[in-house]
Structures are given as structure tokens and as C-alpha cells.
Amino acid sequence: MTFGFAPSPTASTSTSADLSTASAARVLEPAEWAAAGIPLLRNPREVVSGLHARHRPGLSTAIVAVLDQDERLRASASFTRRSAPADGWMFRNSLLSQLRRVIPHDLRRRTPARTAILLYCRDGDARWTEEDGAWMWGLRDACTLHGLRCGAYITLTHDGWQVLGEGRAGRRPSVDSAPEPFDAIQVPPALPRTGGAGSGGLRRVAAR
């Protein structure tokens, strides 16, 4: 026989409120993102076109990419978000898992030498959503834990692409457009797989 105490209604309410507050804290508002000093991409359209041609993403696909100081692509991975409530902590774990698979960390450096960016394909217009805020939070935290500089967060919709927090945007590529040839981003040789944790709620589609 097991003995214990049933939680009171007050305790249950308090726990729910605490969880709600914790979840809300894992979202970055546009003003917080703009104040974070995110480095600007010199040519965002070339970066977006290169990743779009390389991964050919569909709706709910996220592409995390690592760029060197000359804005050349060093590694990237794409995966699809499962239908679940937006949660920055879950997104952070998934992004970190993908980064660990495709590129070594830079934690021994005094300052980050490489930058991670995130391209997310979704429905809707270019306006910020809470889901975007959760991705921003997840990207920033994953970069910190992997020794990378946190870079741009870019959405890809039916209307085109937009770098959130900067106002730079374009009509091509979009979620519906065919991949364009690209030569502006160097494609590194594939790195050997090193294993690692699962994607934590996201199903991996490709790591290219």
C-alpha cells in the first residue's frame, strides 16, 4: 500500500501558473531580439537562396546553419517541427542536438568565431509570432551552449523571406518557389556523424 498526500487545489493552481510563467519566459519579444546585438548578414538573399537550394524546405521545416567570419557556410542541418505547443526550451535542445551532429563546438574560444543562423518555413505572414519568439530564444541559448555567436532569425513564408528584427525582406525564394542555383555560399564536405541526443520533439529530415 502506498501512502501520500493529495495536492490541494491551491497547490495545483500554483503549479500551473509557475509552468505557464516558465514557458512564457522562453520567448523573446522583437524588442529584446533587436537589443541583443545580432550581427547583420551582408547579403541575406544569397544566404537564404543558398540554404533554400541546398535543403529544399517545406512548411514547418527549420534550417540551422553555421557561417564563418567571411559568411561562408560551414555546416547546416534541416528538420521538421512536429505539431506541439511552441516551447523555446524544446527548440533549444533540438537545435543544440543538430549543431552537435554537424560541427564541433567553439567553447574553448574567448570569443565566438562562427555564427549560427536559423531559417524557419511557416504559414502566415511576416509578422512576429510567439512561435518565432520561441525559436529566437532557442537559437540564442543553443549558440551560447555551443560556443557560437547568435545570428539572424529568418522566416520563409508564401510571401517570401524576412530577417526578423531588421526589416530586410524579399519575395524570392518563398515556401512555394523552386530552388535557385547558388554559388555564393561555399558548401563544405560532409562531416562524419558523431551520434548524440535525439531531436527532442522535432523529426530530423536532413543534415546536409
Side-chain angles (χ1 to χ4, degrees):
M1 182 177 294
T2 303
F3 295 91
F5 296 94
S8 67
T10 302
S12 298
T13 302
S14 175
T15 301
S16 299
D18 291 342
L19 290 174
S20 177
T21 301
S23 178
R26 295 192 287 261
V27 172
L28 286 181
E29 299 284 343
E32 296 175 291
W33 184 256
I38 304 300
L40 299 178
L41 290 170
R42 290 194 298 270
N43 196 327
R45 188 186 185 283
E46 287 186 357
V47 173
V48 173
S49 295
L51 293 175
H52 183 260
R54 185 172 178 78
H55 290 274
R56 305 191 177 198
L59 289 175
S60 299
T61 300
I63 303 172
V64 60
V66 179
L67 309 178
D68 65 16
Q69 293 176 326
D70 295 320
E71 213 164 272
R72 291 174 299 188
L73 180 66
R74 307 317 304 166
S76 64
S78 62
F79 46 94
T80 299
R81 177 180 182 253
R82 290 178 177 170
S83 55
D87 186 281
W89 182 80
M90 182 188 75
F91 291 167
R92 185 276 308 274
N93 289 345
S94 301
L95 291 169
L96 186 59
S97 174
Q98 297 300 326
L99 289 170
R100 286 170 173 166
R101 289 184 59 256
V102 299
I103 200 163
H105 67 74
D106 275 347
L107 294 172
R108 293 185 180 88
R109 291 181 174 271
R110 290 180 178 272
T111 57
R114 297 178 291 190
T115 302
I117 65 171
L118 179 62
L119 174 67
Y120 182 58
C121 307
R122 62 166 173 78
D123 268 323
D125 55 33
R127 288 177 293 184
W128 180 90
T129 67
E130 187 170 326
E131 181 184 26
D132 294 326
W135 279 116
M136 290 171 167
W137 190 96
L139 176 62
R140 185 187 66 176
D141 218 43
C143 288
T144 299
L145 294 174
H146 206 62
L148 301 170
R149 180 184 296 108
C150 181
Y153 173 70
I154 307 164
T155 57
L156 195 70
T157 66
H158 297 288
D159 296 329
W161 58 270
Q162 174 168 306
V163 185
L164 266 69
E166 295 183 19
R168 292 191 289 176
R171 297 184 64 181
R172 291 185 63 84
S174 69
V175 169
D176 305 308
S177 62
E180 301 176 7
F182 69 101
D183 55 10
I185 301 178
Q186 288 191 2
V187 179
L191 295 176
R193 293 190 59 175
T194 57
S199 60
L202 297 177
R203 180 170 56 85
R204 180 172 55 84
V205 171
R208 302 173 179 173

